[in-house]
Amino acid sequence: MNIRIEYCVVWNYKPRALSLRDDLSNKFGDIIELKSGDRGAFEVFVNNQLIFSKLQTDRFPEHEEIISFIEGILNVT
């Protein structure tokens, strides 16, 4: 599984991206890719599929909602 977090450097979303990366790594043990971006983005991709977009929702994700979504993909309980 490949998880990528794209975050806006202009708005300094890196600390949020690092925090989410740490939580996802602790839960799934996978390597999480961080990618700097712009436009106020905070986007989360699993296997190159967008699963959360701050640009679309105008909010940051709760860590638990991302974890739950990935568990649903993996069918992990």
Side-chain angles (χ1 to χ4, degrees):
M1 175 173 53
N2 178 316
I3 301 171
R4 183 175 79 245
I5 303 168
E6 181 180 331
Y7 64 92
C8 180
V9 293
V10 176
W11 288 97
N12 192 29
Y13 294 162
K14 187 174 184 177
R16 288 179 181 267
L18 291 171
S19 176
L20 179 57
R21 181 201 63 189
D22 292 347
D23 284 353
L24 293 176
S25 292
N26 288 336
K27 180 70 177 178
F28 302 109
D30 290 317
I31 297 172
I32 314 300
E33 176 187 358
L34 296 180
K35 181 178 180 189
S36 59
D38 55 14
R39 307 174 294 128
F42 195 93
E43 318 293 289
V44 181
F45 298 83
V46 175
N47 296 332
N48 294 318
Q49 176 187 355
L50 181 65
I51 65 163
F52 183 88
S53 172
K54 181 185 174 295
L55 294 173
Q56 293 174 3
T57 62
D58 199 32
R59 68 176 182 85
F60 289 98
E62 297 294 328
H63 292 199
E64 190 56 44
E65 76 181 296
I66 299 299
I67 290 169
S68 294
F69 187 87
I70 294 172
E71 286 176 335
I73 291 172
L74 297 175
N75 213 10
V76 175
T77 57

